[in-house]
Amino acid sequence: MEPFNPSIFIGRFHPLIVHLPIGFLTLSFLLLLIKTIKKHEYKSLALAIRLSVLLAAISGLVAAIVGYMLSSEGGYQADSLDWHQWMAYAIVATSFILWALLKFYHFFSDQGALWFHSFVMLLLVATGHLGGNLTHGSEYLIEYAPDGVKKLFSTAAARIEIPQNPDSIVIYEHIIQPILKNKCYSCHNAEKKKGNLDLTSLEGALPGEGSNSIINPGNAFQSSLFKRVTLNPDNSKFMPPNGLPLSYGEIELLKWWIEQGASFDQTMADAETNAYLGAKLLKEFEIDISPKEYYELVQIAPLAPEDFEAMSKLGIRARPLSIDVNFLDVSINSSGITSGQVEAILKYSDHITWLDLSNKKITDEHLQDIAKLSNLTKLNISNNPITDEGAGHLRGLKHLKVLNMHSTGVGDDVILFLSEMASLNTCILWNTKVTREERNTTEDKTAIEWIL
Amino acid sequence: MKNILEEAAFKEAEHNTRRHFLRQCMSGLGALALGGMSGNLLYGQEKASQKLLQDKLIPHFAPKAKRVIFLHMAGAPSQLELFDYKPVLNQLDGEDCPASLMEGKQFAFLKGTPKILGSQARFRQYGNSGAFVSDYLPHFSEVVDEVTFLKAVHTDQFNHAPAQFLMHTGSPLMGRPSMGSWVTYGLGSENENLPGFVVLVSGGEPSAGKSVYGSGFLPTIHQGVQCRSTGDPVLYISNPRDIDSKMRKESIETINRINELEYQQANDPEIITRISQYELAFRMQTSVPEVMNINDEPDYVHEMYQTTPGKNSFANNCLLARRLVEKGVRFVQLYDRRWDTHGVGPGNGVDGGLKDACQLIDKPMTALLNDLKQRGLLDDTLVVWGGEFGRTPMMEARAGANFKGRDHHADAFTMWMAGSGIKQGHTHGETDEIGFNAVNGRVHVHDLQATILHQLGFDHEKLTYHFQGRDFRLTDVSGHVVKEILA
């Protein structure tokens, strides 16, 4: 429970009272406008205009006093508050002057009064807008505006696009900050520092040690940022006090970030994740942290249309893997490989990552050339007259993940060097001379799936 | 003759809708401007016609799968007798179904207060994944560690034809392109001599008819080509009497020259489709009989698949599916129609009838998975199995309680997927205690389609075709990739 504080108690009526002078001034301005346009018909309005201005001046004075009381509560951005305050005083003062002119200065023309009043109205709009920003935050008004309007007026950055690659995802910027932005920034920003806390510049004021710090890196339960959002919702210190609380997933991610050391530049690739977090990130942020394939991580320049045409003429079917992945998926149309095709394959060796040469009369000599395709990740050389010796050439393929050698002449000797290929994941050796026993002896040592 | 001309004029007028008119006005203006700027470069007709067919879309992201085999059990098998083990259902066997369960639901045949029907099969857990499989599928239980079970698939339709259309074309109404058509439209074929989308049918045509593998508004070259396992694999593929291969070739060449002229005048892309269809048909005269002839397979393969050459069976079709994907066919669609187990007579229930049906698919589909795996094809071939919907936990008893049957059920059924980037030995989704509703991991038919396209490298929201003034896509306006099942 907060103790009784008459100043703040009365001060909080400011947003209520402040609409009185706004109403009176708008009324007098409209009446004055009508009177100026239709001089003869609405002569009698003069008295009403004067009264309305006087009421505006008096109620404005009350609103200003109450507003001053509210400002003693603190937590507002000093700069904006200053402007709001002084402009409000100016409105009160000019309202009194306008009233006095209307009452005592009989030579004051309608046009002159209108100009004067217009100036007061401008002041009113500016002051009111500042006041709105102080109460609701500067993004409140355009939060639901069409995108174009938002871009035009928004001071904050547009919606953050989360990059696809885990090493480009900065955990704070892309995950944690958007949570704070959604749930905390409206009160804890540079303009309206509720509880003297500005979360928008968390990086600058990097929190200290001890159980009272906002963030205690590595220890979520000693960080008040985490404690306050996980209190019993009935507790007056529970945050956020209004609106939707943080979701379970958001709390988990906040905790994970703090326990990881609350770093502001750590990327997803550097962080320790687990399957549970992976699922959460996928569901709530559509961030896929599952491991990427080699060809998705490495960039290569696209080939020109002429290159594809040249290959096509030689009976080579080559396609880029996708719009963004320029590596090629290559197979050949003829029933046996030709020397021209071998040449072309070697010419584009850097680009080829999937190669299907199943049943194309591939021999051990060909494999010597194929071994030069250093970016190969999938190789299918099944149904070909190849032996252990030829297969041995492939040991240098650092990125090879799937090797299909079913129905070939290879035997147990290949198991030994294949087991040492770091990136090899699946090896298909069905219908070869490889025996189950040999495979079994190495099975425990490698993560390779042997298909016999 | 007059009538035909009149009809043609009428048809043409029909096609010119308001949207077309507006569009043509706009694009006409654009073309005029562009034509002026580029010095009539646009009118290189020959290029345009070739481009139309060669232009395959490049996947939006690197694919995991290059091919799909979809095993559709037309008629809808009972998940409660095959994969979805529900002990509580067995305890409640014979009890009246509470009225609240039926409220607001639509069923094809269930009336009044039906009784709960316990599972007729016995379940056990198999493999390292501990997946439940019933004794109806003894062979399949050996390969559960290869597949991901989707236990909570649901659909919008509770009658066969609309549900089959929804499953394969994304819409319950006839006329949309089927999944295989979308896939070949997106990726083309890997083999010039075979159609990219092949359909194999056993046990009778699916109730939705041939439109369920039609190409809808996509160019008709993407239509599914049905290959038969008895007689000519494709109807009229052999040369007619007294016509030899040379004469056939020459006549096709002549027809195509005429068609080429026609295209240059009319500019209708369907003419290009027709030209290439003639050429493909000619090449298929040798390639199709070759790939469809399973006589050359060794005995152990026949033993493995339970195949008998020359017979129309699901087993033969499974073996053919393997042979077709091995040759680079993009999409092989199998339909097996024998699963509508209402229990309206002997041999039509979820007891005997379903068990018999299972015997016809158990060994072949297990063999298909094993064979794909040992040939390394499972790495880039996606296999999908399922019906168009599931079956109710309640007994239908249309023909009295003597026959144990279940009605159509759209809210929860089991499908499985295997291969190319799908988790191995995984179960996604769960139904309630009696298998009536999906309680978590719900997967809508559109989600399944989105996932299949995703594995092929396509964002289902971007694989679209402009027709009648708007872009259409397989998943209509919904669908989410089921990322939880991706390895």
Short mmCIF file of all heavy atoms in Angstrom, two decimals, chain A residues 409-439:
data_model
loop_
_atom_site.label_atom_id
_atom_site.label_comp_id
_atom_site.label_asym_id
_atom_site.label_seq_id
_atom_site.Cartn_x
_atom_site.Cartn_y
_atom_site.Cartn_z
N GLY A 409 31.25 -52.41 -56.46
CA GLY A 409 32.20 -53.46 -56.10
C GLY A 409 33.00 -53.17 -54.84
O GLY A 409 34.01 -53.83 -54.59
N VAL A 410 32.58 -52.21 -54.05
CA VAL A 410 33.38 -51.88 -52.87
C VAL A 410 33.21 -52.95 -51.78
O VAL A 410 32.19 -53.64 -51.73
CB VAL A 410 33.04 -50.49 -52.29
CG1 VAL A 410 33.35 -49.40 -53.30
CG2 VAL A 410 31.58 -50.43 -51.85
N GLY A 411 34.21 -53.06 -50.93
CA GLY A 411 34.19 -54.07 -49.87
C GLY A 411 34.53 -53.47 -48.52
O GLY A 411 34.54 -52.25 -48.36
N ASP A 412 34.86 -54.34 -47.60
CA ASP A 412 35.09 -53.94 -46.20
C ASP A 412 36.13 -52.84 -46.02
O ASP A 412 36.07 -52.08 -45.05
CB ASP A 412 35.49 -55.15 -45.36
CG ASP A 412 34.28 -56.03 -45.06
OD1 ASP A 412 33.15 -55.50 -45.19
OD2 ASP A 412 34.46 -57.20 -44.74
N ASP A 413 37.08 -52.76 -46.95
CA ASP A 413 38.16 -51.78 -46.76
C ASP A 413 37.66 -50.33 -46.71
O ASP A 413 38.31 -49.48 -46.11
CB ASP A 413 39.19 -51.90 -47.90
CG ASP A 413 40.02 -53.16 -47.71
OD1 ASP A 413 39.83 -53.83 -46.66
OD2 ASP A 413 40.83 -53.47 -48.60
N VAL A 414 36.53 -50.07 -47.37
CA VAL A 414 36.07 -48.68 -47.40
C VAL A 414 35.61 -48.20 -46.02
O VAL A 414 35.69 -47.02 -45.71
CB VAL A 414 34.92 -48.45 -48.42
CG1 VAL A 414 35.42 -48.64 -49.83
CG2 VAL A 414 33.73 -49.32 -48.12
N ILE A 415 35.13 -49.12 -45.20
CA ILE A 415 34.58 -48.74 -43.89
C ILE A 415 35.60 -47.93 -43.09
O ILE A 415 35.27 -46.93 -42.46
CB ILE A 415 34.16 -49.99 -43.09
CG1 ILE A 415 33.03 -50.72 -43.80
CG2 ILE A 415 33.79 -49.64 -41.67
CD1 ILE A 415 31.69 -50.08 -43.66
N LEU A 416 36.84 -48.38 -43.19
CA LEU A 416 37.88 -47.78 -42.36
C LEU A 416 38.04 -46.29 -42.64
O LEU A 416 38.00 -45.46 -41.73
CB LEU A 416 39.20 -48.52 -42.61
CG LEU A 416 40.10 -48.60 -41.39
CD1 LEU A 416 39.41 -49.35 -40.27
CD2 LEU A 416 41.42 -49.26 -41.76
N PHE A 417 38.22 -45.95 -43.93
CA PHE A 417 38.46 -44.53 -44.21
C PHE A 417 37.16 -43.72 -44.16
O PHE A 417 37.15 -42.56 -43.80
CB PHE A 417 39.22 -44.32 -45.52
CG PHE A 417 38.38 -44.40 -46.77
CD1 PHE A 417 37.68 -43.30 -47.22
CD2 PHE A 417 38.31 -45.58 -47.49
CE1 PHE A 417 36.92 -43.36 -48.37
CE2 PHE A 417 37.54 -45.64 -48.64
CZ PHE A 417 36.84 -44.54 -49.08
N LEU A 418 36.04 -44.38 -44.49
CA LEU A 418 34.77 -43.66 -44.43
C LEU A 418 34.46 -43.25 -42.99
O LEU A 418 33.95 -42.16 -42.74
CB LEU A 418 33.63 -44.53 -44.97
CG LEU A 418 33.61 -44.76 -46.49
CD1 LEU A 418 32.51 -45.74 -46.86
CD2 LEU A 418 33.43 -43.45 -47.24
N SER A 419 34.81 -44.12 -42.03
CA SER A 419 34.52 -43.80 -40.63
C SER A 419 35.26 -42.55 -40.19
O SER A 419 34.90 -41.92 -39.21
CB SER A 419 34.95 -44.93 -39.70
OG SER A 419 34.79 -46.14 -40.31
N GLU A 420 36.32 -42.22 -40.90
CA GLU A 420 37.10 -41.06 -40.48
C GLU A 420 36.68 -39.78 -41.18
O GLU A 420 37.22 -38.70 -40.90
CB GLU A 420 38.59 -41.33 -40.71
CG GLU A 420 39.19 -42.06 -39.52
CD GLU A 420 40.43 -42.85 -39.87
OE1 GLU A 420 41.09 -42.50 -40.86
OE2 GLU A 420 40.72 -43.82 -39.14
N MET A 421 35.73 -39.89 -42.10
CA MET A 421 35.27 -38.67 -42.78
C MET A 421 34.32 -37.91 -41.85
O MET A 421 33.25 -38.40 -41.50
CB MET A 421 34.58 -39.02 -44.10
CG MET A 421 35.58 -39.53 -45.11
SD MET A 421 34.82 -40.07 -46.64
CE MET A 421 34.28 -38.53 -47.35
N ALA A 422 34.76 -36.70 -41.48
CA ALA A 422 34.11 -36.00 -40.37
C ALA A 422 32.64 -35.68 -40.62
O ALA A 422 31.82 -35.79 -39.72
CB ALA A 422 34.87 -34.72 -40.07
N SER A 423 32.31 -35.28 -41.83
CA SER A 423 30.95 -34.82 -42.03
C SER A 423 30.02 -35.92 -42.55
O SER A 423 28.82 -35.68 -42.70
CB SER A 423 30.94 -33.63 -42.99
OG SER A 423 31.54 -34.03 -44.20
N LEU A 424 30.55 -37.08 -42.82
CA LEU A 424 29.73 -38.15 -43.37
C LEU A 424 28.66 -38.57 -42.36
O LEU A 424 28.92 -38.78 -41.19
CB LEU A 424 30.59 -39.36 -43.74
CG LEU A 424 29.90 -40.38 -44.66
CD1 LEU A 424 29.55 -39.76 -46.00
CD2 LEU A 424 30.79 -41.59 -44.86
N ASN A 425 27.43 -38.63 -42.86
CA ASN A 425 26.29 -38.88 -42.00
C ASN A 425 25.59 -40.19 -42.37
O ASN A 425 25.20 -40.96 -41.51
CB ASN A 425 25.34 -37.68 -42.14
CG ASN A 425 24.13 -37.79 -41.30
OD1 ASN A 425 23.20 -38.49 -41.66
ND2 ASN A 425 24.14 -37.14 -40.15
N THR A 426 25.44 -40.41 -43.65
CA THR A 426 24.76 -41.61 -44.12
C THR A 426 25.58 -42.24 -45.23
O THR A 426 26.02 -41.54 -46.15
CB THR A 426 23.36 -41.26 -44.69
OG1 THR A 426 22.69 -40.43 -43.76
CG2 THR A 426 22.55 -42.51 -44.93
N CYS A 427 25.76 -43.54 -45.14
CA CYS A 427 26.49 -44.22 -46.19
C CYS A 427 25.71 -45.47 -46.60
O CYS A 427 25.43 -46.33 -45.78
CB CYS A 427 27.88 -44.59 -45.68
SG CYS A 427 28.92 -45.15 -47.01
N ILE A 428 25.34 -45.52 -47.87
CA ILE A 428 24.52 -46.63 -48.35
C ILE A 428 25.42 -47.65 -49.04
O ILE A 428 26.04 -47.35 -50.07
CB ILE A 428 23.41 -46.12 -49.29
CG1 ILE A 428 22.49 -45.18 -48.50
CG2 ILE A 428 22.60 -47.27 -49.85
CD1 ILE A 428 22.41 -43.81 -49.05
N LEU A 429 25.51 -48.83 -48.47
CA LEU A 429 26.41 -49.87 -48.98
C LEU A 429 25.67 -51.17 -49.22
O LEU A 429 26.27 -52.24 -49.24
CB LEU A 429 27.56 -50.09 -47.98
CG LEU A 429 28.52 -48.91 -47.84
CD1 LEU A 429 29.39 -49.05 -46.61
CD2 LEU A 429 29.39 -48.75 -49.08
N TRP A 430 24.37 -51.09 -49.43
CA TRP A 430 23.57 -52.29 -49.71
C TRP A 430 24.06 -52.93 -51.00
O TRP A 430 24.50 -52.24 -51.92
CB TRP A 430 22.10 -51.88 -49.82
CG TRP A 430 21.22 -52.97 -50.36
CD1 TRP A 430 20.85 -54.11 -49.74
CD2 TRP A 430 20.62 -53.00 -51.66
NE1 TRP A 430 20.05 -54.86 -50.54
CE2 TRP A 430 19.88 -54.20 -51.74
CE3 TRP A 430 20.61 -52.14 -52.75
CZ2 TRP A 430 19.15 -54.57 -52.88
CZ3 TRP A 430 19.89 -52.49 -53.88
CH2 TRP A 430 19.16 -53.69 -53.94
N ASN A 431 24.00 -54.26 -51.05
CA ASN A 431 24.35 -54.97 -52.27
C ASN A 431 25.81 -54.74 -52.68
O ASN A 431 26.12 -54.56 -53.85
CB ASN A 431 23.39 -54.54 -53.40
CG ASN A 431 23.37 -55.54 -54.54
OD1 ASN A 431 23.81 -56.69 -54.35
ND2 ASN A 431 22.87 -55.13 -55.69
N THR A 432 26.70 -54.67 -51.68
CA THR A 432 28.13 -54.60 -51.96
C THR A 432 28.80 -55.74 -51.20
O THR A 432 28.12 -56.55 -50.58
CB THR A 432 28.74 -53.27 -51.47
OG1 THR A 432 28.54 -53.19 -50.05
CG2 THR A 432 28.12 -52.08 -52.15
N LYS A 433 30.14 -55.75 -51.24
CA LYS A 433 30.85 -56.82 -50.53
C LYS A 433 31.09 -56.48 -49.06
O LYS A 433 31.73 -57.24 -48.34
CB LYS A 433 32.18 -57.11 -51.25
CG LYS A 433 31.97 -57.87 -52.55
CD LYS A 433 33.28 -58.15 -53.25
CE LYS A 433 33.50 -57.16 -54.38
NZ LYS A 433 34.82 -57.17 -54.95
N VAL A 434 30.61 -55.33 -48.65
CA VAL A 434 30.79 -54.94 -47.24
C VAL A 434 29.99 -55.89 -46.35
O VAL A 434 28.82 -56.17 -46.63
CB VAL A 434 30.32 -53.49 -47.01
CG1 VAL A 434 30.45 -53.12 -45.53
CG2 VAL A 434 31.12 -52.52 -47.87
N THR A 435 30.61 -56.38 -45.32
CA THR A 435 29.93 -57.34 -44.45
C THR A 435 29.43 -56.65 -43.19
O THR A 435 29.95 -55.62 -42.78
CB THR A 435 30.90 -58.47 -44.03
OG1 THR A 435 32.07 -57.86 -43.49
CG2 THR A 435 31.27 -59.33 -45.22
N ARG A 436 28.40 -57.22 -42.64
CA ARG A 436 27.80 -56.64 -41.46
C ARG A 436 28.78 -56.56 -40.29
O ARG A 436 28.80 -55.60 -39.54
CB ARG A 436 26.59 -57.47 -41.04
CG ARG A 436 25.30 -56.75 -41.24
CD ARG A 436 24.11 -57.67 -41.21
NE ARG A 436 23.25 -57.36 -42.36
CZ ARG A 436 22.43 -56.32 -42.43
NH1 ARG A 436 22.34 -55.47 -41.44
NH2 ARG A 436 21.69 -56.10 -43.49
N GLU A 437 29.66 -57.61 -40.18
CA GLU A 437 30.57 -57.67 -39.04
C GLU A 437 31.50 -56.47 -39.05
O GLU A 437 31.72 -55.81 -38.04
CB GLU A 437 31.42 -58.96 -39.07
CG GLU A 437 30.63 -60.24 -38.87
CD GLU A 437 29.78 -60.60 -40.09
OE1 GLU A 437 30.31 -60.53 -41.22
OE2 GLU A 437 28.59 -60.90 -39.91
N GLU A 438 32.04 -56.17 -40.23
CA GLU A 438 32.98 -55.07 -40.34
C GLU A 438 32.29 -53.76 -39.94
O GLU A 438 32.85 -52.95 -39.22
CB GLU A 438 33.50 -54.98 -41.78
CG GLU A 438 34.56 -53.93 -42.00
CD GLU A 438 35.82 -54.17 -41.17
OE1 GLU A 438 36.13 -55.34 -40.91
OE2 GLU A 438 36.43 -53.18 -40.75
N ARG A 439 31.07 -53.62 -40.41
CA ARG A 439 30.33 -52.42 -40.11
C ARG A 439 30.11 -52.30 -38.59
O ARG A 439 30.33 -51.27 -37.98
CB ARG A 439 28.99 -52.44 -40.85
CG ARG A 439 28.26 -51.14 -40.90
CD ARG A 439 27.35 -50.91 -39.71
NE ARG A 439 26.60 -52.09 -39.33
CZ ARG A 439 25.33 -52.29 -39.58
NH1 ARG A 439 24.68 -51.41 -40.29
NH2 ARG A 439 24.70 -53.34 -39.13
#
